[in-house]
Amino acid sequence: MMNLMHWRLMLAVAECGTVTEAARRHGITQSGASQVIRQMEQTLGAELFVRDRRRTRPTALRDWLAAGTGMDD
């Protein structure tokens, strides 16, 4: 189940560009933040972010979800 903290974390990852920085802002571990994002992706059945070694970029789905909830950046 997704809650408001999950949605805020998703937005923070997009804003920060890294899961590590988003986790720091929310006072949780990087592994905990990664787990939340993975759970959201599993629930939705799609990726929210494209990951590489340096950055995490939002997918079109993440942008659409954020806009639809009124929580966009």
Side-chain angles (χ1 to χ4, degrees), residues 7 10-11 60-73:
W7 292 100
M10 175 190 71
L11 295 174
L61 173 62
R62 183 285 210 206
D63 291 340
W64 181 80
L65 287 169
T69 62
M71 297 177 72
D72 47 349
D73 303 325

Side-chain angles (χ1 to χ4, degrees), residues 28-42:
I28 61 175
T29 64
Q30 181 274 331
S31 60
S34 291
Q35 182 178 10
V36 167
I37 297 298
R38 279 193 306 274
Q39 287 173 345
M40 290 180 76
E41 290 174 330
Q42 288 174 349

Side-chain angles (χ1 to χ4, degrees), residues 33-57:
S34 291
Q35 182 178 10
V36 167
I37 297 298
R38 279 193 306 274
Q39 287 173 345
M40 290 180 76
E41 290 174 330
Q42 288 174 349
T43 298
L44 296 167
E47 289 186 345
L48 295 170
F49 296 95
V50 176
R51 297 157 179 87
D52 64 36
R53 295 184 139 223
R54 296 181 185 249
R55 297 212 26 99
T56 303
R57 296 181 319 274

Side-chain angles (χ1 to χ4, degrees), residues 4-26:
L4 186 57
M5 187 278 296
H6 294 137
W7 292 100
R8 287 183 176 156
L9 180 61
M10 175 190 71
L11 295 174
V13 171
E15 181 181 310
C16 296
T18 68
V19 174
T20 302
E21 179 61 21
R24 187 190 65 73
R25 286 186 183 183
H26 283 268

